[in-house]
């Protein structure tokens, strides 16, 4: 008999049904289990066909040193070869958090975080660099609509405006490719070897979305996987919400890809860890197909097998989950091309991709203030000034400039990857006769000098990701306000705010400074910041989120909280004195 599932000429559904009929219960459960690479033993991969995930291919679970794309490809291919030695030779699908480019390898192209970007070309670039590094799957895009700036995932959201976020679901097309016109709605699609499996996250209501409308757009674009939100719906954990996952997402919306859990989130289906067996039963019966375990996979597999054998989880439910997972693997052509295409390695961090990243930074900058007197703009700066002061705790640190999800999800300091700091960019931008002085917290001697033409003060928020970034005060940390006050009292000052969200800006401080730029999280390409502030290009950015006056405004209902803002949604100035929010 021909091996139907290995024949690429056969329809995907026929291949799925044939392979499923050959699988043991243990092999099926292996497909539903996603583990972290640090616990991925050869035995686990060969005997369970376990799917892998990681934040980055590090030597050690929390090591911060990134590896090269070629080393990453070697690692993933090593895992893949073990999987292909299994009884049915089912390939693994290796997933990473490519939140803003292929950020898990050294020298790859990084883009600003979602709060400052959004374009299909960025998705295509990320896809190429992921495949060059051996990765098949990325947990992106995040299509949350952030309605409260105190939320720790704010910078993962494109905007507070649902329509803007809906437009950004085109990122799916960049990652996976454009499905043909007659592609069935909700059916997973990956165009070829240069594309990766995308993941729309998080379903549903993540960040305050209105009825999950942005997730629906992802489904229409052929997204292959969807991640469940860790939030609650009317008090019920979405990881255990049968109605939302099965009846709405899979049946009503017709989603045919697989549904994946958040990291260790099924544990929350009961008081954390109190009854793991019940947590597994609740999540799988609710409609979760693949579980990010990610470490105690032996216990997970043992308990899930027992639950199925005892009928507490119907075999039809596990079969449906495995069908969905296999459907995505066949759509991604992993059975035909399981190993890395090494010809793609040269594209990683190449000039075309870096140029795109630089243009993205340039377009994302938002000019909020330009001159104490509107008739006398402070920017663009004079690149031939005699002496320039650069100050602030984070003006010269590429790691802090990048923000989270570079290797590990929390940011690291120092020269963690190839890139240019704001200080270095300023030094490159000014004339040969201009002296650039850098002090994190300027001394009295510097402040009192009368020959400093102007100062550039760079302030930012601290390292964070996800709930670690929840912030009830939204005050600029690291004595940011203090440094601004110190400098602006004596020297004409441009303030550049590096952050994933708006921050509290006291009126007295705003009156004291001469210009204010929201640079978001520009990652590695600070030259594009200096291109704009020194006048080579005009500002084009507009605020994706309302800039509040008082934190208390965030407690008001949606719509009301945007009344009397410091700067409204879509606000942004140009050198031509045109306010883009007309």
């Amino acid at each position: 008999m021909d091996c139907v599932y290995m024949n690429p000429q056969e329809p995907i559904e026929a291949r799925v049904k044939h392979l499923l009929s050959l699988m043991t219960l243990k092999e099926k459960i292996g497909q539903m289990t996603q583990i972290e690479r640090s616990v991925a033993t050869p035995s686990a991969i060969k005997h369970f066909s376990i799917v892998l995930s990681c934040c980055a291919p590090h030597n050690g679970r929390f090591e911060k040193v990134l590896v090269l794309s070629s080393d990453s490809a070697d690692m993933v291919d090593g895992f893949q070869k073990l999987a292909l030695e299994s009884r049915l030779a089912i390939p693994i699908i290796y997933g990473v958090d490519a939140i803003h480019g292929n950020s898990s390898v050294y020298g790859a192209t990084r883009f600003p975080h979602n709060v400052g970007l959004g374009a299909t070309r960025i998705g295509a670039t990320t896809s190429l660099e992921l495949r060059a590094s051996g990765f098949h799957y990325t947990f992106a895009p995040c299509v949350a609509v952030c309605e409260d700036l105190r939320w720790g995932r704010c910078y993962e959201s494109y905007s507070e405006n649902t329509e803007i976020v809906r437009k950004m679901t085109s990122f799916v097309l960049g990652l996976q490719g454009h499905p043909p016109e007659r592609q069935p709605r909700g059916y997973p699609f990956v165009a070829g070897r240069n594309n990766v499996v995308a993941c729309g996250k998080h379903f549903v209501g993540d960040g305050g979305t209105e009825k999950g409308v942005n997730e629906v757009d992802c489904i229409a674009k052929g997204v292959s996987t969807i991640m469940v939100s860790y939030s609650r719906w009317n008090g019920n954990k979405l990881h255990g919400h049968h109605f939302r996952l099965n009846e709405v997402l899979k049946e009503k919306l017709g989603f045919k890809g697989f549904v994946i859990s958040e990291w260790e989130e099924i544990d929350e289906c009961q008081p954390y860890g109190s009854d793991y067996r019940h947590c597994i039963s609740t999540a799988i019966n609710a409609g979760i197909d693949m579980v990010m375990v990610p470490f105690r996979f032996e216990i997970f597999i043992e308990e899930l097998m027992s639950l199925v054998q005892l009928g507490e989880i119907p075999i039809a439910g596990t079969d449906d989950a495995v069908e969905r997972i296999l459907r995505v693997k066949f759509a991604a052509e992993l059975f035909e091309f399981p190993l890395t295409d090494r010809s793609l390695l040269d594209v990683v961090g190449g000039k075309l991709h870096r140029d795109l990243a630089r243009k993205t930074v340039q377009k994302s900058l938002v000019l909020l203030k330009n001159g104490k007197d509107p008739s006398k703009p402070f920017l663009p700066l004079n690149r031939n000034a005699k002496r320039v002061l650069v100050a602030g705790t984070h003006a010269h640190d590429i790691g802090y400039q990048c923000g989270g999800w570079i290797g590990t999800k929390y940011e690291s300091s120092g020269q963690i990857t190839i890139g240019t700091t704001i200080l270095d960019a300023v030094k490159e931008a000014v004339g040969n006769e201009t002296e650039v002085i850098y002090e994190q917290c300027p001394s009295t001697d510097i402040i009192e000098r009368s020959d400093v033409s102007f100062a550039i003060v760079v302030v930012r928020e601290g390292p964070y990701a996800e709930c670690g970034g929840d912030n009830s005060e939204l005050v600029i940390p690291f004595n940011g306000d203090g440094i601004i006050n110190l400098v602006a009292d004596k020297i004409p000052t441009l303030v550049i705010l590096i952050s994933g969200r708006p921050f509290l800006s006291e009126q007295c401080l705003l009156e004291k400074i001469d210009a204010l730029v929201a640079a978001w999280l520009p990652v590695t390409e600070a030259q594009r910041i200096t291109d704009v502030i020194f006048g080579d290009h005009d500002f084009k950015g507009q605020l994706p989120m309302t800039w509040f006056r008082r934190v208390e405004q965030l407690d008001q209902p949606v719509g009301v909280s945007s009344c009397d803002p410091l700067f409204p949604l879509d606000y942004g100035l140009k050198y031509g004195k045109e306010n883009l929010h007309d």
Side-chain angles (χ1 to χ4, degrees):
M1 183 181 70
D2 292 336
C3 186
V4 175
Y5 80 87
M6 283 295 187
N7 185 353
Q9 302 306 314
E10 294 283 349
I12 286 178
E13 289 306 302
R15 299 175 76 183
V16 169
K17 295 293 185 185
H18 180 234
L19 179 51
L20 186 71
S21 71
L22 301 176
M23 297 175 71
T24 66
L25 177 59
K26 182 175 286 189
E27 287 168 334
K28 292 175 182 178
I29 290 174
Q31 291 298 306
M32 298 170 66
T33 310
Q34 189 176 60
I35 67 172
E36 212 280 332
R37 64 160 298 276
S38 63
V39 296
T41 63
S43 175
I45 297 170
K46 290 170 67 173
H47 297 298
F48 299 132
S49 298
I50 286 178
V51 183
L52 292 163
S53 71
C54 70
C55 288
H58 296 149
N59 298 318
R61 182 173 163 194
F62 298 113
E63 189 173 332
K64 295 180 180 179
V65 179
L66 303 183
V67 299
L68 299 175
S69 289
S70 56
D71 296 327
S72 173
D74 290 342
M75 179 197 69
V76 178
D77 282 354
F79 288 130
Q80 191 69 284
K81 289 173 183 177
L82 288 170
L84 297 177
E85 293 174 6
S86 63
R87 186 178 74 91
L88 296 172
I90 303 175
I92 61 168
I93 181 169
Y94 198 106
V96 293
D97 285 292
I99 303 299
H100 54 138
N102 184 17
S103 57
S104 59
V105 299
Y106 186 82
T109 308
R110 272 82 173 194
F111 296 97
H113 281 279
N114 284 2
V115 71
L117 63 76
T120 299
R121 286 175 61 202
I122 295 170
T125 298
T126 300
S127 179
L128 275 173
E129 298 204 1
L130 285 169
R131 290 310 298 258
S133 304
F135 307 134
H136 319 113
Y137 179 27
T138 178
F139 308 117
C142 178
V143 286
V145 179
C146 179
E147 293 184 347
D148 192 328
L149 300 176
R150 293 168 290 195
W151 187 41
R153 301 189 84 140
C154 191
Y155 66 71
E156 293 185 50
S157 173
Y158 292 109
S159 175
E160 69 182 32
N161 181 277
T162 301
E163 289 305 311
I164 292 175
V165 176
R166 291 184 70 177
K167 292 177 182 177
M168 294 302 101
T169 58
S170 61
F171 195 79
V172 171
L173 302 178
L175 293 170
Q176 296 189 164
H178 289 253
E181 288 185 9
R182 296 186 178 181
Q183 175 80 0
R185 181 183 176 88
Y187 202 88
F189 174 80
V190 182
R193 296 186 69 187
N194 291 346
N195 295 93
V196 295
V197 173
C199 179
K201 63 181 189 182
H202 303 81
F203 187 85
V204 63
D206 197 36
T209 56
E210 186 174 345
K211 300 180 182 178
V213 67
N214 51 323
E215 291 282 1
V216 178
D217 277 16
C218 277
I219 293 170
K221 291 178 171 63
V223 72
S224 296
T225 76
I226 285 178
M227 187 179 292
V228 183
S229 174
Y230 50 73
S231 304
R232 296 178 182 270
W233 188 280
N234 292 332
N236 298 316
K237 291 291 292 186
L238 281 163
H239 275 68
H241 208 302
H242 181 276
F243 175 74
R244 293 291 161 194
L245 300 184
N246 262 313
E247 297 182 40
V248 176
L249 178 57
K250 293 182 176 180
E251 294 176 16
K252 184 177 180 180
L253 299 181
F255 178 62
K256 301 299 183 185
F258 68 78
V259 177
I260 187 169
S261 80
E262 259 279 13
W263 181 275
E264 291 185 327
E265 189 59 27
I266 71 163
D267 299 31
E268 298 285 351
C269 289
Q270 284 287 303
Y272 190 85
S274 61
D275 187 346
Y276 192 45
R277 183 183 178 88
H278 179 80
C279 290
I280 294 171
S281 175
T282 301
I284 301 301
N285 283 328
I288 290 177
D289 305 311
M290 185 181 290
V291 177
M292 284 190 179
V293 175
F295 299 111
R296 48 177 178 170
F297 67 94
E298 296 98 338
I299 299 174
F300 174 81
I301 289 171
E302 179 182 342
E303 294 286 11
L304 181 50
M305 285 191 65
S306 172
L307 286 163
V308 176
Q309 290 166 343
L310 292 174
E312 296 180 44
I313 294 177
I315 188 66
T318 57
D319 282 357
D320 178 69
V322 177
E323 283 184 6
R324 291 169 175 277
I325 294 164
L326 295 179
R327 184 177 294 131
V328 171
K329 289 188 175 185
F330 283 122
E333 299 184 342
L334 285 177
F335 284 80
E336 290 73 53
F337 306 107
L339 301 179
T340 307
D341 180 357
R342 303 300 173 112
S343 68
L344 296 176
L345 284 171
D346 289 342
V347 309
V348 177
K351 184 178 184 302
L352 287 176
H353 291 183
R354 292 291 293 274
D355 284 348
L356 177 58
R358 290 164 183 159
K359 289 178 182 177
T360 306
V361 172
Q362 177 187 312
K363 292 179 180 179
S364 70
L365 302 174
V366 181
L367 179 59
L368 299 173
K369 179 180 180 178
N370 189 16
K372 294 176 179 176
D373 182 343
S375 66
K376 298 177 181 179
F378 184 67
L379 301 180
L381 299 173
N382 178 11
R383 66 177 69 246
N384 293 311
K386 181 179 181 181
R387 186 167 285 107
V388 176
L389 170 64
V390 177
T393 54
H394 296 76
H396 191 45
D397 192 307
I398 197 70
Y400 289 144
Q401 198 169 286
C402 287
W405 301 105
I406 295 286
T408 59
K409 71 179 181 180
Y410 298 106
E411 66 186 43
S412 306
S413 62
Q415 193 71 27
I416 62 170
T417 190
I418 298 169
T420 305
T421 67
I422 292 176
L423 174 63
D424 286 337
V426 170
K427 289 180 176 178
E428 291 177 13
V430 298
N432 294 332
E433 303 300 318
T434 301
E435 179 186 359
V436 177
I437 302 169
Y438 172 59
E439 289 189 4
Q440 287 192 10
C441 188
S443 62
T444 303
D445 290 343
I446 294 296
I447 295 297
E448 295 296 335
R449 290 184 66 158
S450 60
D451 56 355
V452 176
S453 302
F454 57 83
I456 300 173
V457 178
V458 183
V459 293
R460 68 176 304 279
E461 51 184 335
Y464 67 91
E466 299 180 343
C467 59
D470 292 349
N471 186 329
S472 61
E473 297 179 345
L474 295 179
V475 175
I476 300 173
F478 309 112
N479 192 34
D481 285 356
I483 295 173
I484 294 171
N485 263 311
L486 178 69
V487 176
D489 264 341
K490 299 289 185 179
I491 303 171
T493 298
L494 160 66
V495 172
I496 299 176
L497 177 61
I498 308 293
S499 71
R501 53 193 161 190
F503 264 73
L504 186 63
S505 304
E506 297 292 346
Q507 189 64 37
C508 59
L509 195 64
L510 278 175
E511 292 173 356
K512 191 174 292 188
I513 65 176
D514 295 86
L516 174 63
V517 172
W520 312 114
L521 294 165
V523 194
T524 57
E525 311 301 329
Q527 302 102 315
R528 300 294 81 87
I529 296 176
T530 51
D531 283 351
V532 177
I533 63 175
F534 282 99
D536 293 335
H537 298 277
D538 204 344
F539 283 89
K540 296 183 179 180
Q542 297 170 253
L543 284 181
M545 297 168 181
T546 302
W547 205 293
F548 60 95
R549 288 184 185 274
R550 302 171 302 280
V551 173
E552 293 75 24
Q553 288 177 300
L554 302 178
D555 293 318
Q556 298 173 353
V558 177
V560 176
S561 60
S562 61
C563 296
D564 188 34
L566 186 61
F567 303 109
L569 177 72
D570 294 335
Y571 183 89
L573 301 172
K574 285 187 174 184
Y575 288 141
K577 304 176 186 177
E578 176 189 3
N579 185 337
L580 298 181
H581 185 72
D582 288 333

